[in-house]
Amino acid sequence: MSFMPGQPVSTVVQRIEIHKLRDGDNLILGFSIGGGIDQDPSQNLFSEDKTDKGIYVTRVSKGGPAEVAGLRMGDRIMQVNGWDMTMVTHDQARKKLTKKNEDVVRLLVTRKTLEDAVRQSMMQH
Amino acid sequence: VPAQEQSPSNQTSLAMMQEPQEVMEETVTIEEDPGTPTSHVSVVTSEDGTTRRTETKVTKVVKTITRRTFQPVILTESKPSPSTATPSETKPVTKMVKTVTTRTVRQVPLGPDGLPLPEGSSPLGSYTDSIDRRYMKNGERFITPQATSTLTRSYNNYSDSYNDAPDSQFRHYALHDGYGDMPNNYGSLSRGVNYRPYQPYMPTGGYRPENSYTLPIRKDDYGHVAQPQVPMGSSTVDLNRSQPERFQPEPYGLEDDRRSLGPDDEEPYDLVPDYSTANRRTLPGHTIREPLRNGPRVRGYEDPIEAELIDERHPYIHGMYPAPLAQPERGSLASLDRMGGRRSPSIDSIRKDPRWRDPDLPEVIAMLGHPIDPVKSNAAAYLQHLCYENDKIKKDVRQLKGIPMLVGLLDHPKAEVHRKSCGALRNISYGKDHDNKVAIKSCDGIPAHIRLLRKTNDMEVRELITGTLWNLSSYEPLKMVIINHGLQTMTNEVIIPHSGWEHEPNEDSKPRDAEWTTVFKNTSGCLRNVSSDGAEARRRLRECEGLVDALLHALQSAVGKKDMDSKSVENCVCIMRNLSYHVHKEVPGAEKFQDPSALQGPGSAGTQRKKKDDAGCFGGKKAKEEWFNQGRKNGEHDKNYDTLDLPKRTEPTKGFELLYQPEVVRLYLSLLTESQNYNTLEAAAGALQNLSAGQWTWSNYIRATVRKEKGLPILVELLRSDSDKVVRAVAIALRNLSIDRRNKDLIGSYAMRDLVSNLPSGQQRPAKNLEEDTVVAILNTIHEIIIDSSENARSLITAQAIDKLVAINRTSQSARETKAASHVLQTVWSYKELRNALTKDGWNKTHFQPIPTGTPKGSKSCKPGYDDTTLPLMETNQGNRGCSGGDVIPMDELGPDGYSTIDQRDKDSKYKSSDGSSDLQEREPLKNDTNRKHYIRSNRPTVSLVDACDVKPQPVDSWV
């Protein structure tokens, strides 16, 4: 999925709602992110286009809230609670995800398998 | 040549922008000072009560006596448990005190200057305190034979006024000397004993609240109380004692009254009318107050313990105040009005009792030299009260030579005396009338304050002293005086101990956090002000032992505790910012770190620039290719720098060297990320701006460190701030940071949109409505970013800036904005590879040319004075403008000039050419990347470099 900053993107997205798990003072989502406009995109293992500086899900902890909600490794996060994640720094993305006052995070993600699935279904028709 | 000429103007404008920052901050600081002091006073007062106990021990006996006097009264009310009642009452009283204090605090913000409201409350409070003290002290003295004698003297001294004074006044006197003398009083006393004991007390209480003038009140109370006492007292001795405790103030007060009596009619300060008890009661406020009074009174009289008495009184006083506080303005202002002679007829009529009056100002000042210490302290406290928020009285005090007397009392051994004197001086030192400040300085008041600061451990006194110094530091000519006398003392006595920094930390002791005390706030505010007094002041502060270390420690502690919005933090950051200004020129040994290119003369720099520009003009391809080439070059540079720096690092850095170590970048970035205080944000951005200016090794490191610490996104985000000055400081910082080539590329990619969105669109200002200085700063930053980078120029176009730029160029009413926009446009047009795209968008060459001077618009925008010369120059430039445009804006200069001292600002130097533009022009050396500096802390494995182009950063992975 190639992506040009500032350009409209048409892609298949999935909405994922994650309820944070409270662990002491911490709220846990149970996944890790990589990427961001301040990161080296060429080292992103999950991007198709090695110039993509988007935010990707790099790991999902087993049995954690994210996995329960259906998030998968390699998902590209487009939005967090309505905030655009395609043109943000790594830290900005992290902050949006880890707001202390939000117990629920709604993600808009896209993943290759998703596109593939759609494409296949369209081919069938 | 033309290009060079332009540059000065641009530079100047940049400088301008920065300058305002400094000034603004300073002004703010100053104003805040006064407010704080006043409010503090009130608080202090309550605390003082405790201290005084010791002095009054003698009073115990007296109290007993007093009891007797009042017993009858008590009986009527509640015989069963006078003693028990007292304690219980006391508690409530204490609470009341607290409430009062809180109110005072609230009031502080309320006051227009911050001061007014607090003043009303605080002065009163202090005043009252002083009264109490007098009581206590007087009691002692009275007991002592000497004391009695002194009283007599005072009598004699005031005999003149006596004569003038009505009989009633005399009676009061008589009371002190001999109660038997006063028939009238006795009569009243007898009544009071039986029925009115409360009333007399009541009046006292009511008195204070209403009038807030202590002196009169005391007298009234005095009179009333005294009368009862006389009859009651079994022995003269007892009577005397009792009197002193409660009424001791009276003796002094009486003296005062007498004096005042004479002048009363004319004197603005007279309180005479207020003192009658009947009036007090009549007053609407009384109802409320009375309950309070009763409580305290009862206790006071009943309690055998001095301490209780004292407590009661204070609370009492506070309690009284509550009513006025509830209507702060009325209460305090009303009292002020009276003092100022603006008595309203109605009030006068209410106060029927003409017997008492306050001393007039000359009398109060004369009392500062009175042989009895309590008189001195009371007089000083009264002056503090009178001066609160009243410029006229401050001026009068000055003209009556009261200031030297107050300063003289600073060395007085008795805490009570120098404390009150400090309070008065603080109020006097506050305000726009610099003559008062100068008067304090002229009688060596500054060293006297510093002496006392060294001597005293009393927190209240220290707050007062530092508050005064803060006030004084707002006046330019005094700044160096303060530095000369007080810098090291303030650092050693306040800054270092309160910062938590330790010269040689013990292994076992944990690092201490900073204590954000009022004393620290005041002192840091003072240093913040003096730190703006030019190069010499900066040098002194930088070389002041332990100062920079302590400030840094305090700030780091603030960051660690996420407590970054306070005034103290703001002050510290501002000091750091000011001290960071021109470090590359002013710090000892700076020349060793100068970039070789920077050492060249301006002329050579110009030629260098030109070559560079030519390269740029050749085409867009330059951008990337050149960039890579430079990257290689920079790599080599880096090696050199590393070897250069390492030796330096063998010893732990300390003192002013800490100012520009790359470690501070993280501190400032933390502040920029977390603080909500605009002044702090501006100062932190300003510090980065200062540090990233200049052509020496350290600024190279700083620029790279900001990038590696992910500072660029933080700064870019602040471009969206609502605060004009924050946006401005950030924009200029970005400009200086873009001296570093990688920073330039990153900023061009990611900041352009935010920069452009801050520009006014067309004739319509954006929602933010940024000031001219800010708009110019942004334009200059944009200009800097697109110079030598067609890539960045392209993203400028993508960000749809051309619309706005053309609009500014054609329609802005500001010549500076017009010029800055014109430079940007010229540079954009100079990239031939972009012209195609521009033409497609409907632009043509004319849009990118400067507006000729001749046009109405041009003449409009260019006010006579500055721009006449510049505009023509710009036109001539057109040919080679694109490339040369770059020369125009020396980044380095901008930063420093901004921070130049106030004097410069005053000179309206905006448009005069900046001196140091030459060094700035040579940027090439700057573009070294410092990828692998050892100094960058490695303790953060997760931190990836912001600069994607830098050496491969580790991919960052954050668990969420």
Side-chain angles (χ1 to χ4, degrees):
Chain A
M1 177 198 63
S2 169
F3 169 78
M4 287 294 294
Q7 297 302 310
V9 177
S10 68
T11 182
V12 186
V13 296
Q14 178 177 349
R15 292 177 198 282
I16 292 180
E17 183 170 294
I18 306 177
H19 295 259
K20 293 183 183 173
L21 186 67
R22 185 169 288 282
D23 176 34
D25 284 345
N26 299 321
L27 289 171
I28 297 177
L29 282 162
F31 69 98
S32 69
I33 56 168
I37 58 175
D38 54 343
Q39 303 297 313
D40 180 0
S42 67
Q43 298 190 47
N44 185 335
L45 302 176
F46 304 97
S47 60
E48 202 173 321
D49 173 351
K50 287 308 175 195
T51 64
D52 180 7
K53 295 181 179 180
I55 303 293
Y56 280 78
V57 176
T58 54
R59 286 172 290 178
V60 179
S61 64
K62 200 129 179 90
E67 189 183 67
V68 171
L71 195 69
R72 293 193 217 160
M73 189 189 289
D75 283 358
R76 183 176 193 275
I77 301 178
M78 311 291 289
Q79 288 183 11
V80 174
N81 287 341
W83 295 95
D84 174 70
M85 289 293 121
T86 65
M87 273 282 279
V88 294
T89 64
H90 184 86
D91 222 29
Q92 284 167 340
R94 191 181 54 76
K95 279 185 182 162
K96 286 283 185 267
L97 286 163
T98 56
K99 289 196 170 176
K100 292 279 186 200
N101 55 355
E102 291 175 351
D103 287 316
V104 179
V105 165
R106 292 182 185 81
L107 302 181
L108 209 57
V109 305
T110 177
R111 66 177 67 118
K112 206 172 147 211
T113 52
L114 211 62
E115 287 185 338
D116 291 343
V118 172
R119 200 174 299 130
Q120 279 183 358
S121 68
M122 289 177 67
M123 301 258 290
Q124 286 172 2
H125 293 291
Chain B
V1 176
Q4 288 177 349
E5 294 190 12
Q6 290 177 351
S7 62
S9 62
N10 290 338
Q11 295 175 352
T12 37
S13 63
L14 290 174
M16 291 289 293
M17 308 180 66
Q18 296 175 347
E19 289 181 358
Q21 297 176 350
E22 260 201 349
V23 183
M24 297 283 293
E25 294 178 1
E26 292 178 5
T27 325
V28 178
T29 325
I30 298 170
E31 291 185 3
E32 290 183 5
D33 290 338
T36 318
T38 328
S39 63
H40 288 293
V41 177
S42 61
V43 178
V44 175
T45 311
S46 62
E47 295 175 1
D48 289 345
T50 337
T51 323
R52 295 168 193 168
R53 291 181 191 173
T54 349
E55 296 180 359
T56 17
K57 281 184 181 180
V58 187
T59 7
K60 284 185 180 180
V61 185
V62 182
K63 292 177 181 177
T64 345
I65 299 169
T66 322
R67 262 198 202 174
R68 298 174 189 171
T69 325
F70 293 93
Q71 279 181 355
V73 182
I74 298 168
L75 294 177
T76 36
E77 292 183 353
S78 61
K79 289 182 181 179
S81 58
S83 60
T84 41
T86 312
S88 64
E89 289 179 1
T90 315
K91 291 179 182 177
V93 177
T94 321
K95 290 176 184 174
M96 300 200 49
V97 179
K98 289 179 183 173
T99 36
V100 176
T101 313
T102 13
R103 290 177 188 173
T104 320
V105 177
R106 289 180 201 157
Q107 289 177 350
V108 179
L110 293 177
D113 302 349
L115 298 181
L117 294 178
E119 288 181 359
S121 59
S122 63
L124 294 178
S126 58
Y127 189 86
T128 329
D129 289 343
S130 63
I131 296 174
D132 293 339
R133 297 175 190 170
R134 294 179 185 177
Y135 273 105
M136 306 301 286
K137 293 180 179 179
N138 291 338
E140 294 180 1
R141 302 214 170 184
F142 274 94
I143 298 169
T144 329
Q146 297 176 351
T148 329
S149 60
T150 37
L151 290 176
T152 329
R153 291 181 207 159
S154 59
Y155 256 109
N156 297 334
N157 295 337
Y158 299 97
S159 56
D160 296 342
S161 55
Y162 255 104
N163 298 336
D164 298 342
D167 296 345
S168 61
Q169 297 175 352
F170 281 96
R171 295 171 190 172
H172 292 286
Y173 269 109
L175 291 176
H176 296 289
D177 293 342
Y179 297 93
D181 294 348
M182 318 195 55
N184 296 336
N185 293 336
Y186 283 106
S188 61
L189 288 174
S190 58
R191 296 176 203 166
V193 173
N194 299 328
Y195 304 91
R196 292 191 178 180
Y198 291 103
Q199 295 178 352
Y201 284 103
M202 305 290 284
T204 315
Y207 172 104
R208 294 172 187 174
E210 297 172 359
N211 297 335
S212 72
Y213 339 81
T214 41
L215 289 177
I217 299 171
R218 299 171 187 173
K219 299 172 183 179
D220 290 345
D221 297 345
Y222 194 86
H224 296 288
V225 180
Q227 294 175 355
Q229 288 178 350
V230 175
M232 299 298 292
S234 55
S235 67
T236 36
V237 179
D238 293 350
L239 292 175
N240 289 338
R241 292 176 188 173
S242 64
Q243 291 176 350
E245 290 181 353
R246 300 171 188 173
F247 309 104
Q248 289 175 352
E250 300 172 1
Y252 300 108
L254 291 178
E255 294 177 357
D256 298 342
D257 292 351
R258 298 169 190 171
R259 304 171 188 170
S260 60
L261 289 177
D264 267 5
D265 302 334
E266 306 163 358
E267 288 294 329
Y269 302 101
D270 293 352
L271 301 174
V272 180
D274 300 347
Y275 293 94
S276 62
T277 46
N279 296 337
R280 302 166 190 170
R281 296 178 181 176
T282 316
L283 293 178
H286 282 283
T287 4
I288 303 174
R289 300 168 188 171
E290 287 185 354
L292 298 177
R293 299 172 187 174
N294 291 337
R297 298 169 190 171
V298 177
R299 304 164 193 167
Y301 293 103
E302 295 175 359
D303 291 348
I305 304 171
E306 297 174 356
E308 289 183 353
L309 284 176
I310 299 170
D311 289 343
E312 291 173 1
R313 287 177 186 172
H314 289 295
Y316 186 87
I317 297 167
H318 290 288
M320 311 303 303
Y321 286 90
L325 289 176
Q327 321 157 345
E329 295 182 358
R330 287 185 203 165
S332 56
L333 291 180
S335 62
L336 290 176
D337 289 344
R338 297 172 193 168
M339 309 210 124
R342 289 171 270 159
R343 251 182 261 149
S344 72
S346 63
I347 294 179
D348 287 337
S349 62
I350 293 177
R351 304 169 190 167
K352 300 167 186 173
D353 192 341
R355 292 175 301 177
W356 308 111
R357 70 168 194 89
D358 285 340
D360 61 21
L361 203 49
E363 288 166 344
V364 177
I365 291 173
M367 289 165 73
L368 292 173
H370 195 280
I372 298 178
D373 290 339
V375 179
K376 290 177 190 156
S377 66
N378 283 338
Y382 190 43
L383 276 181
Q384 173 183 2
H385 169 61
L386 292 176
C387 288
Y388 179 80
E389 187 84 350
N390 192 326
D391 291 338
K392 164 89 166 51
I393 293 188
K394 288 178 194 172
K395 187 181 169 196
D396 291 346
V397 171
R398 185 183 77 232
Q399 290 174 341
L400 291 167
K401 309 293 182 199
I403 291 177
M405 300 189 73
L406 285 168
V407 167
L409 291 180
L410 291 179
D411 289 321
H412 196 282
K414 286 221 167 158
E416 213 40 50
V417 177
H418 63 237
R419 178 189 295 135
K420 291 309 174 197
S421 179
C422 281
L425 285 168
R426 184 172 62 176
N427 279 358
I428 289 171
S429 66
Y430 174 65
K432 292 178 181 169
D433 190 348
H434 295 313
D435 290 344
N436 295 330
K437 300 184 173 78
V438 171
I440 292 174
K441 178 246 164 189
S442 301
C443 58
D444 288 333
I446 291 173
H449 277 98
I450 297 295
R451 258 198 317 276
L452 185 54
L453 179 63
R454 234 178 274 139
K455 215 161 41 183
T456 183
N457 288 318
D458 183 331
M459 255 316 172
E460 174 192 348
V461 174
R462 292 176 147 238
E463 286 178 9
L464 291 169
I465 293 171
T466 52
T468 304
L469 291 171
W470 192 0
N471 289 341
L472 295 176
S473 70
S474 67
Y475 186 47
E476 296 299 318
L478 301 186
K479 290 181 179 180
M480 203 43 91
V481 183
I482 292 173
I483 290 175
N484 287 336
H485 288 102
L487 175 57
Q488 196 66 54
T489 299
M490 283 189 283
T491 304
N492 293 343
E493 293 286 336
V494 180
I495 297 293
I496 291 179
H498 290 255
S499 73
W501 178 74
E502 290 169 12
H503 226 317
E504 296 166 354
N506 292 333
E507 302 96 26
D508 25 290
S509 68
K510 295 176 184 173
R512 293 189 298 129
D513 277 327
E515 305 160 3
W516 304 120
T517 56
T518 302
V519 176
F520 184 85
K521 181 183 70 181
N522 291 349
T523 309
S524 57
C526 174
L527 293 179
R528 170 182 172 179
N529 282 342
V530 301
S531 70
S532 69
D533 199 30
E536 177 63 9
R538 288 194 294 273
R539 186 183 67 78
R540 297 286 298 274
L541 264 69
R542 286 187 197 122
E543 295 176 4
C544 175
E545 193 172 340
L547 178 59
V548 174
D549 313 65
L551 291 175
L552 259 182
H553 182 94
L555 285 175
Q556 266 149 2
S557 153
V559 168
K561 284 163 46 178
K562 304 256 175 201
D563 175 19
M564 288 172 261
D565 300 333
S566 70
K567 188 72 184 176
S568 293
V569 170
E570 176 188 324
N571 288 338
C572 291
V573 184
C574 285
I575 298 171
M576 293 289 290
R577 194 253 335 257
N578 286 348
L579 297 187
S580 300
Y581 175 70
H582 271 185
V583 273
H584 61 287
K585 292 181 184 171
E586 297 174 358
V587 153
E591 51 301 334
K592 282 185 288 185
F593 296 98
Q594 293 303 325
D595 234 311
S597 54
L599 296 177
Q600 299 174 357
S604 62
T607 53
Q608 276 194 1
R609 246 305 172 84
K610 215 167 187 187
K611 280 180 199 164
K612 198 183 171 187
D613 292 334
D614 290 342
C617 288
F618 271 89
K621 54 186 170 183
K622 154 213 159 178
K624 269 206 170 170
E625 291 172 10
E626 233 191 47
W627 175 42
F628 283 120
N629 293 336
Q630 284 170 0
R632 263 183 248 147
K633 268 192 249 159
N634 290 341
E636 296 164 10
H637 277 279
D638 286 345
K639 279 180 194 169
N640 294 335
Y641 285 118
D642 285 345
T643 49
L644 258 183
D645 286 355
L646 287 173
K648 259 292 175 186
R649 286 316 199 92
T650 53
E651 291 178 13
T653 22
K654 59 174 186 172
F656 62 79
E657 291 178 349
L658 292 168
L659 287 171
Y660 45 83
Q661 298 304 309
E663 281 87 346
V664 299
V665 168
R666 183 170 299 180
L667 173 67
Y668 291 132
L669 291 178
S670 298
L671 291 165
L672 288 170
T673 311
E674 304 282 352
S675 180
Q676 307 290 319
N677 180 330
Y678 285 148
N679 292 327
T680 301
L681 290 174
E682 181 202 6
L688 288 178
Q689 167 192 338
N690 281 345
L691 293 174
S692 57
Q695 301 287 343
W696 70 334
T697 309
W698 294 111
S699 61
N700 292 337
Y701 284 127
I702 294 287
R703 286 186 286 261
T705 307
V706 170
R707 175 177 69 249
K708 303 201 173 185
E709 293 281 350
K710 303 181 176 182
L712 296 179
I714 294 171
L715 288 166
V716 170
E717 194 160 316
L718 284 172
L719 285 174
R720 300 169 198 164
S721 167
D722 294 328
S723 166
D724 199 286
K725 56 191 178 182
V726 173
V727 173
R728 189 184 328 159
V730 167
I732 300 175
L734 286 173
R735 174 176 174 175
N736 283 346
L737 287 167
S738 69
I739 295 174
D740 179 301
R741 183 72 206 196
R742 301 201 172 185
N743 285 347
K744 177 185 277 196
D745 291 327
L746 285 167
I747 293 169
S749 305
Y750 298 118
M752 197 61 89
R753 211 169 283 223
D754 286 311
L755 285 168
V756 171
S757 71
N758 276 311
L759 293 176
S761 49
Q763 307 182 348
Q764 199 177 11
R765 290 270 169 175
K768 279 195 205 170
N769 196 17
L770 297 174
E771 293 169 11
E772 176 191 53
D773 279 345
T774 309
V775 173
V776 173
I778 291 168
L779 288 170
N780 287 336
T781 301
I782 290 174
H783 187 227
E784 183 60 40
I785 294 170
I786 63 171
I787 288 178
D788 295 341
S789 171
S790 68
E791 203 64 18
N792 286 345
R794 195 184 296 277
S795 44
L796 179 69
I797 298 170
T798 311
Q800 302 180 332
I802 304 300
D803 259 332
K804 290 183 169 185
L805 290 168
V806 170
I808 295 170
N809 193 27
R810 307 220 156 172
T811 65
S812 171
Q813 296 303 303
S814 154
R816 297 173 55 218
E817 287 181 11
T818 305
K819 188 195 298 176
S822 166
H823 286 158
V824 174
L825 287 171
Q826 292 176 47
T827 305
V828 170
W829 190 251
S830 73
Y831 294 108
K832 296 193 177 118
E833 67 272 23
L834 299 179
R835 286 185 190 164
N836 214 359
L838 289 171
T839 328
K840 263 187 207 162
D841 289 344
W843 304 111
N844 60 52
K845 184 177 179 183
T846 58
H847 291 111
F848 297 88
Q849 288 173 336
I851 306 299
T853 332
T855 60
K857 190 270 160 186
S859 59
K860 227 188 200 176
S861 59
C862 312
K863 306 290 177 190
Y866 30 100
D867 280 321
D868 307 335
T869 46
T870 41
L871 285 177
L873 291 175
M874 294 173 64
E875 286 187 297
T876 54
N877 291 339
Q878 285 183 357
N880 49 347
R881 58 216 138 159
C883 308
S884 58
D887 297 5
V888 177
I889 307 175
M891 334 186 108
D892 307 11
E893 293 284 349
L894 302 173
D897 288 345
Y899 294 108
S900 60
T901 52
I902 298 172
D903 298 331
Q904 297 181 353
R905 307 165 192 165
D906 293 345
K907 291 175 187 170
D908 186 25
S909 59
K910 306 176 183 183
Y911 299 98
K912 69 181 179 184
S913 60
S914 60
D915 30 347
S917 54
S918 55
D919 9 355
L920 306 179
Q921 294 177 346
E922 310 171 9
R923 301 176 195 167
E924 304 238 36
L926 300 177
K927 300 172 188 172
N928 33 359
D929 38 329
T930 48
N931 295 335
R932 36 136 318 211
K933 308 304 167 175
H934 50 283
Y935 54 76
I936 294 180
R937 299 175 197 167
S938 54
N939 52 356
R940 276 210 216 151
T942 47
V943 176
S944 67
L945 304 180
V946 175
D947 182 0
C949 312
D950 246 328
V951 196
K952 290 179 191 171
Q954 303 250 332
V956 175
D957 216 11
S958 304
W959 280 102
V960 290

